[in-house]
Amino acid sequence: MDMKEGFGEVRDRVALAAKRASRQPNEVTIVAVTKTWPAEIVVAAYNAGMRHFGENRAEELDEKRPLVEAELGPKSGIHWHAIGALQSRKTKFVAENADTFHALDRLKIANRLSNHIMENEPDQEKALRVFIEVNVSGEASKAGLDCNQWEDDETQREKLLNLARTTAELPGLVPVGLMTMAPWQVEESVIRRVFERTRRLSEWLQGQLPESEWTQLSMGMSDDFEIAIEEGATHIRVGRAIFGPRILE
Ligand SMILES: *Cc1c(COP(=O)(O)O)cnc(C)c1O
């Protein structure tokens, strides 16, 4: 598949989904997920007009970004998104390379990211934007903070509130919002419900912490981004619908 065509089609579908929800298409950032694809593909995607790129493995981001910058320079205007779950021994890769992290799920990771950033960039110029990843579907295979019963379970709400409050106070991090993943291969109504419940959780969180801005929603991938936009997504993370199937995974 031609990525320029793929990106054009995704943009058209974003615009239609936004319209159905009485939203503006420019409220939705399309993060082009380039995991498994080499740096040349990122450069080609840049030349086709893409500016937001997502990688799920911290080491892959650490390898790819310098290669892309060797081609396009450090001021290309690319915004790098680290979208995958992160182990604490790999926080350095994300702190050094990402502009936005989508998968924060515990305080230890938040502290380590903030410390790396303050060591390297104490002027806060490179503060890392973070989404907290919440597991609303309850699927065991999904990463993220357990929020599958958040409406009824005060402990789950308190844990999220705690992580959000403490993260917002860390000098190297900037609160952005919540991220979630819907289950795969289930009915549309089930997917929609996960996105809707994540949006409600985000509204609840904003009510609890009006002084920090956990306002954005990272949700929706190739197979479900239109539903996510209808339910309020501000960031969608799309790989296959732009670049075609991944060969290596
Ligand atoms: C791979 C990945 C995506 C994109 O998936 P596609 O199905 O290719 O659109 C989105 N988010 C995360 C966290 C991923 O790992």
Side-chain angles (χ1 to χ4, degrees):
M1 185 169 60
D2 178 85
M3 67 168 78
K4 194 161 184 172
E5 225 172 89
F7 186 53
E9 277 171 23
V10 168
R11 272 212 290 224
D12 291 346
R13 288 166 60 190
V14 166
L16 287 171
K19 193 154 182 244
R20 285 196 293 278
S22 306
R23 303 180 59 203
Q24 297 300 319
N26 64 11
E27 293 170 26
V28 181
T29 299
I30 303 170
V31 178
V33 177
T34 45
K35 64 186 183 194
T36 76
W37 295 105
E40 301 87 83
I41 296 288
V42 180
V43 173
Y46 179 87
N47 291 328
M50 292 169 237
R51 291 294 178 272
H52 289 264
F53 294 101
E55 291 288 338
N56 72 326
R57 287 180 50 244
E59 300 96 321
E60 191 173 336
L61 173 62
D62 188 56
E63 283 163 26
K64 218 175 277 181
R65 182 174 181 161
L67 296 174
V68 172
E69 283 186 355
E71 222 28 64
L72 300 174
K75 294 204 157 68
S76 63
I78 289 183
H79 190 110
W80 292 95
H81 299 256
I83 61 175
L86 186 60
Q87 294 166 286
S88 58
R89 65 193 165 87
K90 295 180 183 166
T91 46
K92 181 168 166 279
F93 296 134
V94 166
E96 288 175 356
N97 294 290
D99 301 297
T100 302
F101 176 47
H102 290 240
L104 184 66
D105 61 358
R106 54 193 192 275
L107 198 54
K108 182 178 177 192
I109 301 282
N111 278 321
R112 289 180 63 103
L113 287 168
S114 181
N115 288 343
H116 285 305
I117 285 161
M118 297 316 285
E119 278 160 24
N120 298 337
E121 306 269 349
D123 56 0
Q124 276 203 3
E125 254 205 57
K126 276 224 55 177
L128 178 67
R129 296 157 33 92
V130 293
F131 286 92
I132 293 175
E133 180 172 359
V134 290
N135 179 345
V136 165
S137 73
E139 275 193 308
S141 62
K142 294 273 183 288
L145 195 69
D146 215 354
C147 292
N148 62 322
Q149 305 263 31
W150 73 264
E151 295 91 338
D152 304 318
D153 187 334
E154 196 183 337
T155 310
Q156 289 188 350
R157 293 197 300 272
E158 282 303 316
K159 279 189 179 157
L160 173 63
L161 188 56
N162 222 3
L163 179 59
R165 185 183 283 131
T166 316
T167 299
E169 285 165 1
L170 291 174
L173 305 184
V174 177
V176 179
L178 301 185
M179 180 274 228
T180 204
M181 312 246 282
W184 286 296
Q185 295 179 329
V186 296
E187 275 179 52
E188 179 179 322
S189 62
V190 177
I191 296 172
R192 188 177 294 281
R193 183 99 182 101
V194 166
F195 291 152
E196 187 208 335
R197 290 179 60 220
T198 305
R199 186 192 66 228
R200 289 188 193 287
L201 180 57
S202 134
E203 288 163 359
W204 174 81
L205 185 60
Q206 286 168 58
Q208 297 294 309
L209 295 178
E211 67 284 6
S212 50
E213 298 219 9
W214 295 101
T215 55
Q216 310 283 299
L217 283 169
S218 171
M219 52 190 202
M221 304 168 42
S222 289
D223 294 330
D224 57 21
F225 69 82
E226 286 143 309
I227 308 169
I229 291 168
E230 289 169 12
E231 297 303 329
T234 61
H235 292 67
I236 58 173
R237 310 175 311 272
V238 180
R240 289 168 302 126
I242 298 173
F243 299 106
R246 287 179 287 275
I247 298 155
L248 307 161
E249 219 173 351

